[in-house]
Amino acid sequence: MMIKITLPDGSVKEFAQGVTPMDVALSISEGLARNVISASFNGTTIETSTPLTTDGTLILYTWNDDEGKKAFWHSTSHVMAQAIEEKYPNAKLTLGPAIANGFYYDVDFGDEKLEDGTITFCDHSNFFDLCRGGHIPNTGIIKAMKILSVAGAYWRGDEKNKQLTRVYGISFPKQKDLTEYLQLLEEAKKRDHRRLGKELELFHFSQKVGQGLPLWLPKGAALRDRLEQFLKKAQKKAGYEQVVTPHIGQKELYVTSGHYAKYGADSFQPIHTPAEGEEFLLKPMNCPHHCEIYNAKPWSYKDLPKRYAEFGTVYRYEQSGELHGLTRVRGFTQDDAHIFCTPDQLDAEFKNVIDLVLYVFGSLGFENFTAQVSVRDLDNPDKYIGSVENWEKAENAIISAARDKGLNYVIEAGEAAFYGPKLDFMVKDALGRSWQLGTIQVDYNLPERFDLTYKGSDNELHRPVMIHRAPFGSMERFVAILLEHTAGNFPIWLMPEQAIILSLSEKYENYAQKVLNLLENHEIRAQIDNRNETIGKKIRDAEVQKFPFMLIVGEEEEKNGTISVRRHGDAGKSNQSMTIEEFSQLIQEEIDKTLKQF
């Protein structure tokens, strides 16, 4: 009996029933057969040796595909598990999935709890295991493997359960790939924002203050302020109005918005006041407060859109094991804004927000990004609030705007917020890592929950559409990603201090102060290093602290009214002699190269 196999290019081939994906690969080319790792048939992950018995669509995966890497790493986790069993015979194995980069295996010494009907067998050599499947043809294609770290992890992520030992690893089909990956890890360690934040004196964590609650030091606060002023200036041009809301709100506010039902049990618990029955919550989101600002007075269609912006601090209780520097914290500030508009205004408003996000990325050196349209998981409708009709309108509006703006976008099911779909920007940093930065959401649901209205041209009341947007996302996470992307060498317009003045000796400290005053007149941020250290030591310290320019002053500079200019990272190059006016012009040219116009 023959079956029809449809390939990704749309072509259809006939094969005898029982043909395997590897047989299909061989029929295409021997090269493909050598490289195929796993496959999917009619949307289900299978192995290259699985017999195909019905008509269907077949996709063959190689190392160059995410699904291929997933199978490769999952299979390697079994190899590692075999080694663990041989080394530690009493060990019990639990889960060994592939992750974004590599895999892990959780090892336990208690009873295993696997559900019947959701597992398959994996075996190689004298080892077999139970798992969900997706394996490589043979372990011989694993040419390089390394254990990366060991950590603790609770069974099924529940801290009430026993703690397991989680072993992380990674593998590659070539030794060269592993070598390059390890070099990348070393570079990532150098760029770790926690390390750089300490070296540059930007932020600090205190156990007495509490986990996940960052303290911004003066230089870090100046950096944050500069980012805020940068965005506020653009927002003002785009017609936003600044608002301020409190850090807490009555529990009922978040019950109305749906946030309490969604997050309440796993977040900070209610604050009880002396008044009986009165409960407040630390603000988990800014949007309910902004809805109430909109509700402060009646609006006409002629008044819309209303654009409310706020750098609002919110609080969410993250598990201690999930906290990580500034990227995962319990208190953070969002560059939040909410636009209330008519349905006819939605398309133009959404596109204007896209322009704002692209301006932010361009001014901060994030040039490599894709857009992700995050929509519902149609198989799990209970995860979301609101009508199907409103969800369809919102999703279609986002897809239309992304297409019209020429964005390189993909559609991801199941990634929407519980109250609406969104457009997420996935940015690649200097190390090729992908980060979600900037999000825009269309929401028909909160206007209904808060009974938001405006009077239309027909003199009837209508519901506005709500757009949620945050180009930075959170200030904490954005600074962390920017630190690692730039290795602390921020764009010159953003640097807390753009230059440091290094005097050759105490004799020239008065001239150094004169230079500082002149720089301040030119609105150049600088400081003086007047420590009793050698000029070599001062230069080395300035390099570590990432000052873009070092201005060396001594006898010749004082006599000529000049400065000797050295750029960060220009070791071995000659310094340039300049007047203050020439240096000011240089700074402005550097700013113009990076800070885009909006």
Side-chain angles (χ1 to χ4, degrees):
M1 181 177 174
M2 304 298 286
I3 58 173
K4 293 181 179 180
I5 303 297
T6 303
L7 298 173
D9 63 359
S11 63
V12 179
K13 290 191 173 188
E14 287 196 352
F15 295 92
Q17 191 178 49
V19 67
T20 68
M22 185 61 76
D23 295 330
V24 176
L26 276 167
S27 75
I28 297 172
S29 75
E30 289 188 5
L32 177 59
R34 282 195 302 271
N35 290 298
V36 70
I37 289 176
S38 66
S40 71
F41 190 63
N42 290 335
T44 301
T45 299
I46 59 174
E47 292 162 23
T48 59
S49 58
T50 302
L52 307 179
T53 58
T54 64
D55 295 348
T57 299
L58 177 69
I59 303 175
L60 300 170
Y61 298 118
T62 69
W63 173 255
N64 294 325
D65 302 304
D66 288 342
E67 288 297 319
K69 288 185 175 70
K70 184 177 178 180
F72 192 94
W73 286 331
H74 176 58
S75 295
T76 312
S77 75
H78 289 303
V79 176
M80 183 177 73
Q82 180 184 3
I84 289 172
E85 277 199 336
E86 291 180 3
K87 183 76 173 174
Y88 305 98
N90 293 326
K92 295 279 194 301
L93 304 172
T94 59
L95 302 174
I99 53 178
N101 285 294
F103 54 88
Y104 67 78
Y105 226 111
D106 284 345
V107 184
D108 191 15
F109 292 92
D111 296 328
E112 294 176 75
K113 296 179 181 178
L114 295 174
E115 300 174 15
D116 287 340
T118 63
I119 54 177
T120 62
F121 284 92
C122 167
D123 67 274
H124 50 81
S125 183
N126 63 339
F127 175 85
F128 76 94
D129 196 6
L130 303 171
C131 69
R132 296 182 185 276
H135 301 106
I136 58 179
N138 64 80
T139 58
I141 66 175
I142 303 172
K143 301 298 184 184
M145 170 184 166
K146 185 172 179 63
I147 293 177
L148 298 175
S149 63
V150 176
Y154 293 107
W155 171 246
R156 298 296 188 186
D158 188 342
E159 60 185 10
K160 296 177 183 177
N161 293 331
K162 182 179 179 181
Q163 192 173 57
L164 313 175
T165 299
R166 178 168 291 181
V167 184
Y168 288 93
I170 198 163
S171 60
F172 294 91
K174 295 178 183 177
Q175 177 63 43
K176 176 177 72 73
D177 295 334
L178 175 59
T179 301
E180 290 175 355
Y181 180 77
L182 294 177
Q183 290 171 346
L184 192 68
L185 284 185
E186 284 303 310
E187 180 61 26
K189 287 180 184 177
K190 295 177 187 175
R191 291 172 176 255
D192 189 315
H193 76 276
R194 294 167 298 178
R195 173 181 173 177
L196 289 171
K198 186 174 182 179
E199 289 178 357
L200 301 179
E201 300 178 356
L202 299 179
F203 56 87
H204 173 65
F205 287 93
S206 162
Q207 288 298 318
K208 289 184 179 179
V209 173
Q211 287 185 302
L213 299 171
L215 301 170
W216 290 89
L217 305 178
K219 290 182 180 179
L223 176 74
R224 271 185 59 141
D225 182 65
R226 210 160 304 286
L227 282 169
E228 287 189 17
Q229 296 308 320
F230 156 73
L231 187 55
K232 283 180 178 177
K233 183 178 178 182
Q235 286 176 165
K236 187 174 182 181
K237 286 185 178 179
Y240 288 82
E241 299 172 283
Q242 286 293 134
V243 297
V244 178
T245 62
H247 289 245
I248 63 173
Q250 287 202 96
K251 176 182 171 182
E252 187 59 35
L253 178 70
Y254 309 110
V255 171
T256 300
S257 69
H259 290 99
Y260 186 77
K262 189 73 176 175
Y263 303 116
D266 299 319
S267 194
F268 287 102
Q269 294 305 294
I271 303 166
H272 297 274
T273 73
E276 186 176 347
E278 189 174 53
E279 292 181 307
F280 287 80
L281 290 179
L282 287 172
K283 180 170 61 173
M285 298 286 276
N286 297 302
C287 37
H289 295 252
H290 289 193
C291 287
E292 286 302 292
I293 288 177
Y294 179 89
N295 253 344
K297 60 177 285 189
W299 300 103
S300 158
Y301 72 98
K302 295 179 181 179
D303 301 316
L304 301 186
K306 298 301 295 181
R307 308 179 187 96
Y308 296 136
E310 176 183 18
F311 284 86
T313 302
V314 298
Y315 302 89
R316 300 177 193 170
Y317 185 80
E318 302 285 356
Q319 296 293 332
S320 59
E322 299 293 324
L323 299 174
H324 182 81
L326 292 181
T327 59
R328 200 75 178 264
V329 290
R330 288 174 173 167
F332 55 94
T333 302
Q334 294 179 308
D335 59 319
D336 233 340
H338 298 92
I339 301 169
F340 302 89
C341 63
T342 70
D344 290 343
Q345 294 168 334
L346 175 60
D347 184 64
E349 289 299 310
F350 198 94
K351 289 174 181 175
N352 288 341
V353 177
I354 291 176
D355 289 338
L356 180 62
V357 172
L358 298 184
Y359 163 68
V360 169
F361 289 176
S363 295
L364 289 160
F366 291 111
E367 304 290 349
N368 188 359
F369 62 88
T370 57
Q372 174 180 301
V373 180
S374 299
V375 299
R376 293 162 294 165
D377 178 357
L378 296 178
D379 295 328
N380 292 286
D382 294 341
K383 290 170 58 177
Y384 311 99
I385 61 173
S387 69
V388 171
E389 179 189 6
N390 282 344
W391 272 91
E392 289 176 348
K393 286 193 292 187
E395 288 170 349
N396 290 335
I398 293 176
I399 292 169
S400 174
R403 183 178 59 243
D404 290 351
K405 295 299 291 185
L407 295 180
N408 175 23
Y409 72 92
V410 295
I411 298 175
E412 289 289 342
E415 295 298 316
F418 75 95
Y419 50 80
K422 54 183 179 171
L423 182 67
D424 292 321
F425 290 84
M426 315 304 290
V427 174
K428 280 198 173 180
D429 68 10
L431 298 182
R433 300 170 301 182
S434 186
W435 302 89
Q436 187 266 313
L437 272 185
T439 187
I440 318 171
Q441 301 168 6
V442 174
D443 184 1
Y444 283 84
N445 293 312
L446 286 189
E448 287 191 0
R449 284 177 166 256
F450 282 92
D451 194 24
L452 307 185
T453 61
Y454 68 90
K455 186 170 287 188
S457 58
D458 57 1
N459 220 32
E460 299 290 329
L461 292 179
H462 300 269
R463 292 263 183 258
V465 184
M466 190 173 176
I467 300 175
H468 308 242
R469 56 107 278 213
F472 292 147
S474 92
M475 299 299 292
E476 286 71 12
R477 186 169 176 274
F478 189 85
V479 168
I481 295 168
L482 187 62
L483 260 174
E484 298 194 3
H485 177 60
T486 63
N489 299 306
F490 300 116
I492 189 73
W493 65 267
L494 182 59
M495 291 296 291
E497 286 158 330
Q498 296 160 320
I500 185 166
I501 304 164
L502 311 178
S503 58
L504 289 174
S505 73
E506 292 180 9
K507 289 191 296 183
Y508 309 109
E509 286 184 9
N510 288 339
Y511 182 62
Q513 184 61 51
K514 180 181 178 182
V515 169
L516 179 63
N517 295 339
L518 290 170
L519 292 175
E520 289 175 348
N521 291 341
H522 286 83
E523 297 185 346
I524 296 172
R525 301 182 293 279
Q527 71 176 57
I528 299 173
D529 183 350
N530 55 11
R531 295 175 299 160
N532 186 23
E533 297 284 357
T534 65
I535 191 65
K537 167 71 171 167
K538 291 180 179 181
I539 288 173
R540 287 192 296 272
D541 290 348
E543 286 282 351
V544 169
Q545 293 176 52
K546 313 288 187 183
F547 284 96
F549 292 97
M550 285 152 267
L551 312 181
I552 300 168
V553 295
E555 181 180 3
E556 185 175 346
E557 287 76 24
E558 184 177 39
K559 182 175 66 175
N560 297 326
T562 60
I563 50 178
S564 183
V565 179
R566 176 192 177 104
R567 282 180 180 266
H568 171 73
D570 275 2
K573 294 186 179 179
S574 299
N575 299 341
Q576 286 183 278
S577 179
M578 295 184 184
T579 64
I580 298 297
E581 287 71 23
E582 289 170 336
F583 180 67
S584 174
Q585 185 177 351
L586 173 63
I587 290 286
Q588 190 58 52
E589 289 171 357
E590 294 281 330
I591 292 173
D592 291 342
K593 280 194 296 187
T594 56
L595 185 57
K596 309 300 180 184
Q597 295 298 313
F598 181 73

